[in-house]
Amino acid sequence: MSNKEKVISLIDNIPDEQLNFIVGYLQNLCDEIEDDMFCEKLYQDYLHSPDKDEFVPIEEVLKGLTQNGIQD
């Protein structure tokens, strides 16, 4: 029996009114996994980016932010 099957079997024995904690825990766990996958993709994109070592002066960054309306 796989771990997933064990979990489903255990959950089947818990009354519905007592499942709130488990639902919340599983939702948080799924959110963390999703966040980890997103961060890993950002990291891999950075590692494989052709311009990852390109230097951009802070003045250029601020200029771009101002032009896009992010700063006053």
Side-chain angles (χ1 to χ4, degrees):
M1 178 182 279
S2 73
N3 284 334
K4 189 173 188 176
E5 291 169 328
K6 288 177 189 175
V7 168
I8 291 170
S9 175
L10 290 169
I11 289 174
D12 283 341
N13 294 318
I14 299 173
D16 283 347
E17 60 273 0
Q18 294 181 347
L19 289 175
N20 288 338
F21 173 76
I22 293 171
V23 170
Y25 175 78
L26 290 174
Q27 184 62 56
N28 287 336
L29 183 61
C30 289
D31 290 347
E32 285 182 30
I33 292 169
E34 191 175 308
D35 287 347
D36 289 348
M37 289 173 27
F38 176 76
C39 291
E40 180 63 25
K41 182 179 179 333
L42 287 177
Y43 177 64
Q44 291 300 321
D45 288 350
Y46 166 76
L47 287 179
H48 298 98
S49 173
D51 59 349
K52 75 175 183 179
D53 295 321
E54 182 180 322
F55 176 77
V56 178
I58 190 68
E59 295 80 16
E60 287 296 314
V61 173
L62 293 175
K63 180 180 169 185
L65 292 175
T66 302
Q67 288 175 349
N68 293 324
I70 297 173
Q71 289 186 343
D72 293 354

